[in-house]
Amino acid sequence: MRNFGKAKHKNHISGAAPGTLAAMNNLFGISLEDFMKAVYGDHRAIQKLSDMGRLSEVAQTNLQPALDAARITIQTTGDLNKAIADLTKQTQKSGKQVTTAILDSQLAERRFNNELTEAKTKYGYDVSAETTRHLHQGSLIQIRGAVADLMAVTKYQTDVTKEQSKIPLAQQRADVEYEKAVSSALWADGSDANISRIPKPNYNSNKGLGKLWKGFRDTFGI
């Protein structure tokens, strides 16, 4: 703040109405101290009162529409839940009839499926031996091919690990530059500063190798 020497204005109200001024702070969040500091040019107090004033303008614009929306939402919620309660009563009356019909249908469906299964059993015994031989041979061929892929992935993982060891230093430098940019924005615009527009580098977000390795293990059961 600027230096005005011993100059000051007399405050006749604080002594006459201390309780009212205290209530102003307690009820509305505005203290006489902050008010006087803002009057005499204190930046922090000006910022606080300015933000409260701008917030109040927005609230005045939206207060009545918000109240109307809240009222209709509460009323509609009550009407909707009453309607749902009526539906549950009707469901209790009709539910037994529908459930009985479903169970009868399921029993008939199961009997039909069992008869089809029994008809196919003999054929299944005839082909089971060939199916088992084919599956074993196919698995052996797949594992032989997987060995070469596993060796390639292992080498790739080793190379990537070497490169990833360089990431922490780069991330540390990037974090320092980001903090500088945030500080500059706050000094320039205060509460109006849009920090979200400042990109924050992240060199630790590459998870591609982990997904590749997990997919390989899931595929071949390793």
Side-chain angles (χ1 to χ4, degrees):
M1 295 178 60
R2 296 167 61 187
N3 184 2
F4 295 100
K6 296 182 179 180
K8 66 177 181 179
H9 297 103
K10 289 188 176 182
N11 177 2
H12 301 282
I13 306 303
S14 294
T20 302
L21 292 176
M24 179 178 70
N25 184 26
N26 294 331
L27 295 176
F28 307 109
I30 301 176
S31 68
L32 179 62
E33 181 182 6
D34 284 341
F35 176 78
M36 295 303 297
K37 285 182 177 180
V39 168
Y40 292 128
D42 181 83
H43 289 175
R44 191 177 296 273
I46 290 173
Q47 181 182 18
K48 178 181 178 180
L49 289 181
S50 174
D51 287 346
M52 293 178 68
R54 292 188 299 116
L55 178 63
S56 298
E57 291 177 356
V58 174
Q60 286 291 343
T61 301
N62 295 286
L63 184 59
Q64 188 60 47
L67 178 60
D68 293 339
R71 284 174 175 170
I72 190 64
T73 299
I74 293 171
Q75 178 182 351
T76 302
T77 301
D79 294 340
L80 176 61
N81 281 274
K82 182 181 181 300
I84 294 174
D86 291 340
L87 289 177
T88 59
K89 293 178 182 179
Q90 185 60 49
T91 299
Q92 291 173 357
K93 295 179 180 180
S94 303
K96 181 179 179 180
Q97 181 182 3
V98 174
T99 302
T100 299
I102 292 174
L103 293 175
D104 290 343
S105 298
Q106 288 177 342
L107 179 60
E109 178 78 4
R110 176 164 297 187
R111 182 178 295 111
F112 175 69
N113 289 334
N114 288 340
E115 291 173 352
L116 291 179
T117 300
E118 292 165 3
K120 296 176 182 178
T121 299
K122 185 178 181 302
Y123 175 78
Y125 283 132
D126 293 338
V127 299
S128 62
E130 172 59 22
T131 300
T132 301
R133 185 202 64 80
H134 173 70
L135 291 176
H136 288 172
Q137 187 66 18
S139 297
L140 180 60
I141 293 173
Q142 187 179 30
I143 291 174
R144 287 173 179 171
V147 171
D149 292 340
L150 178 59
M151 294 178 64
V153 170
T154 301
K155 182 180 183 303
Y156 172 70
Q157 185 182 29
T158 301
D159 293 342
V160 169
T161 300
K162 292 179 181 179
E163 292 300 318
Q164 286 179 334
S165 63
K166 302 176 183 178
I167 289 178
L169 180 59
Q171 183 66 54
Q172 182 181 11
R173 294 174 178 173
D175 288 343
V176 171
E177 295 302 320
Y178 173 79
E179 292 299 328
K180 290 181 179 179
V182 170
S183 297
S184 297
L186 290 175
W187 276 115
D189 299 320
S191 295
D192 283 334
N194 189 353
I195 306 302
S196 63
R197 298 182 60 184
I198 302 175
K200 186 173 183 180
N202 185 359
Y203 294 102
N204 298 310
S205 63
N206 185 1
K207 300 180 180 178
L209 177 61
K211 292 181 179 178
L212 175 63
W213 181 248
K214 183 178 183 302
F216 183 86
R217 291 186 301 171
D218 292 344
T219 300
F220 298 108
I222 297 176

